[in-house]
Each structure stands twice: as structure tokens, then as C-alpha cells.
Amino acid sequence: MAATGSRAPLTWAVHLATLFLVAIWVLPTLGLFVSSVRDKDQISVSGWWTALTTSTQNKIFRAPGADGQVQRGDVFVITGDVLEGGPGVVSNFGISSRDPQAFQSGESAVLRDGSALTVKSDGTFEIVSSEEITKARGQRIFYQATSPPRFTFDNYRNVIAAENLGRSFINSLTVTIPATVIPILIAAFAAYALAWMEFPGRALLIAVVVGLLVVPLQMSLIPLLTKYNEIGAFFGVPAKTYLGIWLAHTGFGLPLAIYLLRNYIAGLPREIMESARVDGATDFEIFMKIILPLSFPALASFAIFQFLWVWNDLLVAIVFLGAGDSELVLTGRLNNLLGMRGGQWDILAASAFITILVPLLVFFGLQRYLVRGLLAGSVKGG
Amino acid sequence: MEQLLWALFTMVLGVAGCAGYFYGSNALLDRIYPANAAARHAGLSAAQISTNINKSNAIRPWLFLGPALLLLTAFLIYPVIDSLRLSLYDADKESFLGLGNYVWLLGDSGFHESIFNNALWLIVVPSAATFFGLIIAALTDRIWWGNIAKSLIFMPMAISFVGASVIWKFVYDYRAEGQEQIGILNAIVVFLGGEPQAWITVPFWNNFFLMIILIWIQTGFAMVILSAALRGIPEETIEAAVIDGANPLQIFFKIMIPQIWGTIAVVWTTITILVLKVFDIVFALTNAQWSTQVLANLMFDWMFRGGGHSGRGAAIAVIIMVLVIPIMVWNIRRANAEMRGH
């Protein structure tokens, strides 16, 4: 009795607490995503959480001067559209900065030279004067417009074309694909040797691999860059090449690859290998025909880790590939934009989403393998 | 596009090269020391075959390990040793300074700031990420939409540090008072009647706003691993506690937590190592302005800014390495113990 009585509120508390935490975790990303598809002008004047409501903006429009007037009967008229064809509804307008909302749309205001200005709610306006207008500079019209929510992919179109993001996307792919695939086979052979072959020094090698897992990348940068420069100078080729970064990422990824795969392969049943050996199979055949196919889940886990790590890496890319316009990868480009276009959220939001799109797709598509890999690496699954 | 084709070509070439190496070297070994059916047909004696088997068994592991060892040596072991050496030299890499660079570090204000901030990061980030990970793991195990919730909280793991920095910079966005705030944090502050702040420029506290980003990313990792550990707890221990009349909180803190201490330690140390290497977030958001310097960024500064000083850069890298070593030793011990358990 008492148990069921206290259980129900507790369950509610669990639901609410989880919902609250999920909201905190999701809102930052959601906010930037919503902003990336909002109209450029709206991003900077209202919070993204108001994206679905109508927004109110105060703006200034300068009407054409004397050149724009047309004679209509015995009056001179200047016409135009303060919204310049854009969507929105004008609610108020004014003719001086001191009182920018003095008149309701549809009313007419008397200007200093005696002419009359009327702004309609659809944004069209008319200045009517009984004498020829002489002022070359046009009248300033202050107005308040409410515009409906607007969603657009313009921001994405802009950054891909103007900010060279397309180029960086290709660069990122160029770096990532070989750097993900090449280590797999190298690591798998080493892992098999460390798991199932008997040789002196095996325990020491495993300890070395575990130790290298945590070596800070920073230790490698200066010596490797020096070597790359020497080798580049020796052969007369640039020091910063794709080949260099592929090799670097392969080397940096190997400890994790060997560790994950060794744990997995060591957990495979001994009988399989022994029966194959009785049938006369060599280690090479056992590895190619039995171990490799059986290890697919572990290979997939590592491939996902390596893919995410290489794609998201900034440090190795700017050190070994460079920070020039043509060689920047997506993370480097985004970092540059963050520095140069600090407040331009239309550009930043769309760029950020282009850089995280591929990892997110990989993540949601292959999450199962990612989780399995994490567990094998840390709690030692099985 | 052409470049991408080159990349694919290299990838195929690389994989084919590896496969060719492994296949070729094995075939060569079998030819030099024949021990298979063909050897028997060739009329080798049983004794010869058995020496051949022993010899090839002694060599084959090294064929399998060869490429991996070569790469590990070239890209990790050699650089570690060389960094140690370079840290004893001046910027020209030739004049020996002894411990000069380290002595200089002790007096450098940038280094003091980094050590102080890194200590903050090391205290706050691993504990907060582990704490939230544990709470979320425990909560989501009890509800039907737990897997969806987990998936969403795990998601930041796939986002780069730079991407995450942009996402959070937007959260922290600041507009002068009176203007409409477009950053959600300031909007909430203003809504509650407070004054908007430029969060990442407020010394000392800005460190915490940067840390939140890493906590946001790492909580998913902690959650996934701790959730698996919680599920691994034997049912009987919990049932026994229920029968004894323990309430859910008591069960959680007194029965479940003690059983997963080992896993909590693993999560904690893994995040600690990541924190020591954290670079991108500071580099992207503040570039060490407003007293947010950390070791990894300071190292990058000395490596490249103003011509660079390889000795000082290497010395800072060595400091990071020294901080990692205790965890490294602990990891190796744990791995050894596990292997013996097999």
C-alpha cells in the first residue's frame, strides 16, 4: 500500500527530471539549428525561440528625392514601397527620429514643405505635393513592421558559395576517408598477434600500447613537424601534404585500434582457432578467413571512432595541413569564421551545421557500434 | 573533386599495399621454412618440418606486428623522446639549456595562469560529467523513453569541439542592456530581472562557461558506460535491499554505487586525460584572452606564435605528459590484471 503510494510521485519525478536534463542538453543545438534556417535579419533582432511568432522591427527607409517625382494632373507625386517587396505589415510610421511611430498606417502626415505622406499597411507610400518638389535628398520614413516567421536555406547557400565551405568539405573528406580506412588492417594484424600468438615480449608490447593510448598529442607535434620539414626540404616537396596528415592520423589512431581489436579478438572462443589449426590452417589463413569476418563489429566500432575523431580534429589538421584558404578543413574554417565573423550568426550557424552534419548522420546511423566500442574500450565488455 | 578521387585512390592503394605486404611476407616465410603439406611431399623429414614450424612461429608475430610497430615508433614513441630532448634546448634546437626552459616556466605568468585554470578544469569537468552521467544513467534506466533520452544526451559526442564552441557561444551571446537578447542565457537572466553579461569575458567565472561545453560533450560518454555498469549489477543484491525495506535513494547510494566504483574510476580518469589535452574550446572561443589560458593552448602558442620557441613548447608538452603518467601507470596495471584474469 505505502509502496504503491510513494511510487507514483517518484515515477513522475523521474520523468520530469529526465525531461529537464534532456531539454538542457538539446536546446543549445536546437537553437543554433533553428537560427540557421531563419531569415538573416530576424536572427539578429529576436531570439530563436520566437522564430514561430511574428516579429516586430523598427526600421528606416529613405524615399527617393526630387528625381523620383512624377507629375499627376496638377500635383507632384513620389511613390514607393518601404518594405521593398518583402513580406510584413506596417503598423505605424513617423517622419522624425524623435517620434518614429507618430502615425498609424493609412493616416497621412504633413511634411515640412507642406506635402503629405501616406504609408499604407502593405508598405506602399505616397508623397503628394501641390508644388514641384525641389529637395534632392529624399524624405526619411520611420516605420514599424511586423513580419511573419520566415524560414529559408539562404544562409546555407551563402556560406557554401561565399565562405568557401564547399572546398573545406571536400578537404575534410579527403583527410578523413583514407585516415579512417588505412589503420584498420594494420591494427587488426597486430591485434591478432597480441591476442593469440605466443612470443617473448608480448606482455610488454601490450603494456606499451595501453600506455600510448593516453600520450598527449602535444608531445608529437614539434618533433614530427620538424621531421616533416626536413623530409620535405630533402625531396624538394612541400612539408604539409595530405600524405603527411594521413600517416599522422594513422599513427595517432593505432593505439586505440590495436587496444579495442585486441580486447575483442582475445575474447573470441579458443576452440574455433584450434580446430582450424588442426585442419592445417596457418595463422595467416586463420586470421583472414575466421578472425577478420568475426571481428566485424569491433572493426566497425573503431572505424566510427576514428572517423569522428579525424573529422572533428582541429589541432592535427592546422599543424600538418596548414591554415591557408585552400587547405583548411571544416573545423579550421569554422574556427576562422568564429574569429572573423564573430557576431554574424547567419553565417556561423549555417557553417556550424554543415560541419557537424556528417558526424551527426554517422552518429545516429551507427550508434549501436559506437556504444559497443566504448564499452569494449573502457569496461572491458565480455 | 579531383582531390577526392586522389584520396580514394590512395585509400585503395594503402589497403592493397597492406594486404599485399601481409600476404607476401607470409608467403615468403612459408617458402623459406616450408612446414605445410607441400613440404611433406618435397620429402622433408619430420624433424626438419618441426624446426621449420618453430622458426616460422618465432618470426610470424613480428611480420604481423611490423607495420603497426613502425608507425607507433615513428609517430608516438620517437616524438615523445625527441620532445624530452628538445625541452632541454633553446629555440634554435642547438644550444643546450639544461633545465632552463623549465626554470623559465616556473616564473612565467602565462604558465601560472594555465596551471591554475587546468587545475580548475581537472576538478570540475571530470566530476561534473561523471555526476551527470551517473544521474542520467540511473534515471533513464527506469523509463520507457530512456533510450531516446540517452541518444539525445549522447549526441554532443559526435560534435567537434569547434562546433560545440559555436553552439555555446550562441547560448552565451550578449547584447547591451535594453536591446533584445538573442542568447538564451542572457534572455533568461533578463527575464528573471537580472543584468545581461558578456559571460565569456568575465575573468575567473568565464572558465566555468568554457568547462560547461566539455561537460556537455562528455556526459554522454559517462552515461553510456555507467548505464552498462548499472545494468550489470546482480538483481539479487537489489532485491535483498528492497526486502530489507531500503528506499530507492538508499538502494542507489548504498547498494548500487559501491558496486560500480571501478567503472566510475575508469570514466573519471578517461575524462581527466581528455581535459589535460583540451585545446580546441579555449582556442576557438577566447584564444586565452580574459584569463582563460590552459596548458595545451599555451603549448600551441609557444609552438607557433611569433616564430615559435620549440624548447618552451616542448617543455609544456612534457609537463602535460608528466601529469598524464600516473593515470597511464594505473591503466597499464589494470590491463595487466585483466589479462591475468583471462
Side-chain angles (χ1 to χ4, degrees):
Chain A
M1 243 305 272
T4 46
S6 67
R7 188 80 1 132
L10 186 71
T11 314
W12 274 109
V14 169
H15 277 284
L16 281 179
T18 315
L19 197 65
F20 177 70
L21 287 164
V22 169
I24 291 180
W25 252 259
V26 171
L27 279 181
T29 321
L30 186 71
L32 200 70
F33 175 69
V34 169
S35 297
S36 75
V37 292
R38 283 182 83 197
D39 187 78
K40 193 170 147 184
D41 297 328
Q42 293 190 343
I43 299 176
S44 53
V45 294
S46 61
W48 58 269
W49 51 92
T50 65
L52 283 176
T53 59
T54 321
S55 66
T56 308
Q57 281 166 275
N58 290 308
K59 285 190 164 177
I60 306 170
F61 179 81
R62 189 175 285 281
D67 294 346
Q69 64 185 316
V70 211
Q71 191 169 11
R72 197 189 287 165
D74 52 356
V75 292
F76 294 85
V77 184
I78 296 173
T79 56
D81 180 0
V82 293
L83 296 171
E84 294 171 281
V89 176
V90 175
S91 54
N92 295 77
F93 71 98
I95 48 176
S96 87
S97 56
R98 259 165 293 144
D99 194 359
Q101 292 168 34
F103 307 93
Q104 300 243 310
S105 55
E107 289 180 350
S108 67
V110 179
L111 302 179
R112 232 176 309 163
D113 60 1
S115 54
L117 164 69
T118 319
V119 182
K120 292 195 188 137
S121 60
D122 63 357
T124 55
F125 67 89
E126 235 180 14
I127 300 173
V128 183
S129 169
S130 51
E131 289 159 38
E132 190 173 347
I133 299 166
T134 50
K135 244 169 71 179
R137 221 163 133 71
Q139 170 67 33
R140 279 197 301 172
I141 304 173
F142 299 84
Y143 68 96
Q144 185 179 55
T146 52
S147 33
R150 237 180 319 157
F151 294 102
T152 156
F153 283 108
D154 283 353
N155 300 331
Y156 286 92
R157 259 175 238 129
N158 279 348
V159 293
I160 290 171
E163 302 293 346
N164 240 339
L165 233 74
R167 167 87 206 177
S168 293
F169 195 88
I170 302 273
N171 288 350
S172 275
L173 275 180
T174 310
V175 170
T176 310
I177 296 173
T180 304
V181 176
I182 292 174
I184 295 180
L185 201 59
I186 297 176
F189 269 98
Y192 175 75
L194 291 176
W196 289 110
M197 292 167 109
E198 298 289 340
F199 59 93
R202 189 175 79 148
L204 178 72
L205 276 184
I206 295 176
V208 169
V209 169
V210 174
L212 290 179
L213 270 178
V214 298
V215 166
L217 218 57
Q218 279 82 5
M219 286 295 273
S220 300
L221 298 180
I222 296 175
L224 280 183
L225 196 62
T226 317
K227 270 283 164 293
Y228 273 28
N229 285 333
E230 282 170 22
I231 293 169
F234 183 77
F235 288 106
V237 292
K240 300 188 172 185
T241 59
Y242 283 103
L243 185 63
I245 198 171
W246 290 328
L247 284 173
H249 272 307
T250 302
F252 298 149
L254 271 181
L256 180 69
I258 298 175
Y259 178 69
L260 274 184
L261 294 176
R262 195 209 80 91
N263 276 355
Y264 189 86
I265 293 174
L268 293 174
R270 181 180 284 274
E271 298 79 45
I272 303 181
M273 268 153 278
E274 272 168 5
S275 64
R277 205 159 278 156
V278 169
D279 291 344
T282 63
D283 274 313
F284 185 71
E285 287 162 346
I286 295 176
F287 177 80
M288 292 302 282
K289 291 190 183 140
I290 301 175
I291 304 292
L292 215 50
L294 279 181
S295 311
F296 178 76
L299 299 178
S301 305
F302 166 71
I304 298 165
F305 274 120
Q306 179 77 352
F307 179 88
L308 290 179
W309 151 248
V310 175
W311 184 278
N312 288 339
D313 158 79
L314 172 68
L315 184 60
V316 178
I318 52 179
V319 172
F320 291 112
L321 201 56
D325 193 57
S326 61
E327 62 248 22
L328 270 181
V329 295
L330 281 174
T331 45
R333 176 82 59 191
L334 187 60
N335 182 55
N336 275 9
L337 289 177
L338 197 53
M340 291 185 309
R341 311 222 181 251
Q344 282 172 275
W345 285 109
D346 52 315
I347 291 176
L348 280 177
S351 308
F353 263 88
I354 292 172
T355 71
I356 66 178
L357 182 70
V358 177
L360 282 186
L361 288 179
V362 169
F363 173 83
F364 282 114
L366 303 169
Q367 203 181 144
R368 220 157 32 99
Y369 292 108
L370 193 68
V371 169
R372 204 180 291 175
L374 272 185
L375 295 178
S378 302
V379 215
K380 174 89 185 64
Chain B
M1 261 321 172
E2 194 187 340
Q3 172 187 332
L4 205 56
L5 287 177
W6 268 110
L8 287 173
F9 177 70
T10 318
M11 183 191 86
V12 172
L13 199 73
V15 172
C18 293
Y21 159 79
F22 286 116
Y23 183 81
S25 62
N26 270 281
L28 194 67
L29 189 68
D30 285 338
R31 174 158 290 203
I32 295 172
Y33 296 114
N36 48 13
R40 243 162 275 145
H41 286 300
L44 286 168
S45 70
Q48 269 175 313
I49 290 180
S50 116
T51 30
N52 278 356
I53 289 180
N54 285 340
K55 279 183 182 163
S56 60
N57 274 355
I59 296 173
R60 205 182 307 271
W62 300 104
L63 292 182
F64 277 32
L65 284 165
L69 288 184
L70 195 73
L71 284 164
L72 287 179
T73 311
F75 285 92
L76 289 165
I77 297 171
Y78 155 76
V80 166
I81 296 165
D82 202 41
S83 275
L84 280 172
R85 185 184 66 82
L86 280 173
S87 74
L88 304 177
Y89 285 82
D90 205 349
D92 58 8
K93 298 176 187 153
E94 274 158 20
S95 22
F96 186 75
L97 291 181
L99 293 178
N101 288 321
Y102 294 94
V103 173
W104 169 83
L105 271 183
L106 288 179
D108 180 56
S109 64
F111 182 70
H112 296 164
E113 186 186 313
S114 312
I115 287 284
F116 176 75
N117 288 341
N118 259 107
L120 277 183
W121 281 77
L122 283 176
I123 295 165
V124 175
V125 176
S127 36
T130 312
F131 173 78
F132 283 117
L134 188 59
I135 298 289
I136 294 167
L139 288 175
T140 51
D141 271 351
R142 295 154 172 263
I143 51 179
W144 58 268
W145 52 285
N147 280 337
I148 302 169
K150 271 191 204 163
S151 191
L152 289 172
I153 285 173
F154 194 30
M155 179 199 69
M157 187 88 187
I159 297 175
S160 61
F161 290 133
V162 187
S165 301
V166 173
I167 288 175
W168 280 88
K169 193 177 182 209
F170 190 52
V171 170
Y172 300 147
D173 188 88
Y174 165 75
R175 298 286 154 111
E177 211 178 343
Q179 285 185 45
E180 183 151 349
Q181 299 294 335
I182 63 168
I184 196 165
L185 184 61
N186 273 323
I188 293 172
V189 167
V190 170
F191 178 77
L192 296 176
E195 267 180 41
Q197 299 279 337
W199 303 104
I200 54 175
T201 63
V202 185
F204 184 69
W205 297 109
N206 51 8
N207 283 304
F208 294 92
F209 290 104
L210 299 184
M211 288 176 210
I212 286 175
I213 302 172
L214 196 57
I215 297 170
W216 181 71
I217 294 175
Q218 286 300 314
T219 296
F221 161 76
M223 172 199 74
V224 164
I225 289 174
L226 293 171
S227 157
L230 285 176
R231 285 194 186 156
I233 293 176
E235 280 291 321
E236 306 88 69
T237 57
I238 296 165
E239 276 163 19
V242 172
I243 292 169
D244 288 348
N247 67 40
L249 279 182
Q250 282 173 324
I251 292 177
F252 184 68
F253 285 108
K254 294 195 174 149
I255 308 292
M256 294 167 92
I257 300 261
Q259 295 195 58
I260 58 167
W261 263 126
T263 312
I264 291 178
V266 171
V267 170
W268 195 295
T269 50
T270 309
I271 300 177
T272 301
I273 289 169
L274 188 87
V275 170
L276 277 171
K277 299 192 241 178
V278 69
F279 157 78
D280 314 39
I281 294 176
V282 175
F283 183 68
L285 269 189
T286 63
N287 206 353
Q289 295 174 80
W290 309 295
S291 317
T292 52
Q293 186 69 288
V294 290
L295 285 174
N297 194 61
L298 184 71
M299 189 253 158
F300 187 84
D301 276 355
W302 278 109
M303 200 173 148
F304 292 114
R305 301 272 155 76
H309 190 304
S310 60
R312 288 174 185 176
I316 299 165
V318 171
I319 302 270
I320 301 177
M321 182 75 200
V322 168
L323 293 172
V324 170
I325 283 177
I327 296 172
M328 186 195 264
V329 171
W330 185 72
N331 271 354
I332 293 175
R333 283 198 171 164
R334 206 168 47 88
N336 276 341
E338 253 168 27
M339 273 208 306
R340 257 176 258 122
H342 254 285

